[in-house]
Amino acid sequence: MKSLNETAPGEPPVRRRRVPVAVVVLSVFLACVAATVGVVSCVAEKVSSDSSDKEMTCCWEEGATPAWMGTQMGIRIPDTASDRRAGYKTGERYDTGLLSFVLPAEEARTYTGRLVPDGTEMIANSRPEAKGYRPAAAFGHLGLPEPETVVRGLRKISLCPDGLTTPEGTHLQRCVDLFAHEFTPGTTRIYVRSTIEPSVTPPPAGEAP
């Protein structure tokens, strides 16, 4: 029985086909490129993740209590408000203040009604941001979801103090983005974000504003 590589008498010898050197070199090159792209992609993802984490933790000032932040914005916090939170983040061009507190839903509607001018309504968030949305100054720093990502039970509006004559609006010191989220039936969280320019300095941590 003859092997596959053997030839019978009188038959021409069988030649093995050799893979061209160029094909081998190209295959190796493409494999190296694929490996390099994979490494670069992993590095880029890590750098992006590290940058995002740094953005979340960088430049937050201590001493920015809810009472102090409310004063800077001109937002008067009702005495009945609970779960009060605040943050102040410095930036290269401007700073950002965050304020949040919780009210019973009916009281929250009354409170926002005393801020919003007659004939103007807070609108629903019909175009929410994606789940991983992180603004420059994120409420995530305060352990809260970003209001821009919420759809159900959320109302929002932007207000500026110029010409604002509502009972609470007359106290407003800066332009604010205001969100009201009824996160459980009968309970509403108020979110306020404001650009602070020029910068201000929070009191030392532990001191009353």
Coordinates of all heavy atoms in Angstrom, one line a residue, residues 36-50:
T36 N -2.0 44.8 18.9 CA -1.7 46.1 19.3 C -3.0 46.9 19.5 O -3.1 47.7 20.5 CB -0.8 46.8 18.2 OG1 0.4 46.1 18.1 CG2 -0.5 48.2 18.7
V37 N -3.9 46.8 18.6 CA -5.2 47.5 18.7 C -5.9 47.1 20.0 O -6.5 47.9 20.7 CB -6.1 47.2 17.4 CG1 -7.5 47.7 17.7 CG2 -5.5 47.8 16.2
G38 N -5.9 45.8 20.3 CA -6.5 45.4 21.5 C -5.9 46.0 22.7 O -6.6 46.4 23.6
V39 N -4.6 46.0 22.8 CA -3.9 46.6 23.9 C -4.2 48.1 24.0 O -4.5 48.6 25.1 CB -2.3 46.4 23.8 CG1 -1.6 47.3 24.9 CG2 -2.0 45.0 23.9
V40 N -4.1 48.8 22.9 CA -4.4 50.3 22.9 C -5.9 50.5 23.3 O -6.1 51.5 24.1 CB -4.2 50.9 21.5 CG1 -4.7 52.3 21.4 CG2 -2.7 50.8 21.1
S41 N -6.8 49.7 22.9 CA -8.2 49.8 23.2 C -8.4 49.7 24.7 O -9.1 50.4 25.4 CB -9.0 48.8 22.5 OG -10.4 48.9 22.9
C42 N -7.7 48.6 25.3 CA -7.8 48.4 26.8 C -7.2 49.6 27.5 O -7.8 50.0 28.5 CB -7.1 47.1 27.1 SG -7.9 45.6 26.6
V43 N -6.1 50.1 27.0 CA -5.4 51.2 27.7 C -6.3 52.5 27.6 O -6.5 53.2 28.6 CB -4.0 51.5 27.1 CG1 -3.5 52.9 27.6 CG2 -3.1 50.4 27.3
A44 N -6.9 52.7 26.5 CA -7.8 53.9 26.3 C -9.0 53.8 27.2 O -9.4 54.8 27.8 CB -8.3 53.9 24.8
E45 N -9.6 52.6 27.3 CA -10.7 52.4 28.2 C -10.3 52.7 29.7 O -11.1 53.3 30.4 CB -11.3 51.0 28.1 CG -12.0 50.8 26.8 CD -12.6 49.4 26.7 OE1 -12.5 48.6 27.7 OE2 -13.1 49.0 25.6
K46 N -9.2 52.2 30.1 CA -8.7 52.4 31.4 C -8.5 53.9 31.7 O -8.8 54.4 32.7 CB -7.4 51.6 31.7 CG -7.0 51.7 33.2 CD -5.8 50.8 33.4 CE -5.5 50.7 34.9 NZ -5.4 52.0 35.6
V47 N -7.8 54.6 30.7 CA -7.6 56.0 30.9 C -8.9 56.8 31.0 O -9.0 57.7 31.8 CB -6.7 56.6 29.7 CG1 -6.7 58.1 29.7 CG2 -5.3 56.0 29.7
S48 N -9.8 56.4 30.1 CA -11.1 57.1 30.2 C -11.8 56.8 31.5 O -12.4 57.7 32.1 CB -12.0 56.6 29.0 OG -13.3 57.1 29.1
S49 N -11.8 55.6 32.0 CA -12.4 55.3 33.3 C -11.7 56.0 34.4 O -12.4 56.5 35.3 CB -12.3 53.7 33.5 OG -12.8 53.4 34.8
D50 N -10.4 56.0 34.4 CA -9.7 56.8 35.5 C -10.0 58.3 35.4 O -10.1 58.9 36.5 CB -8.1 56.6 35.3 CG -7.7 55.1 35.6 OD1 -8.5 54.4 36.2 OD2 -6.6 54.8 35.2

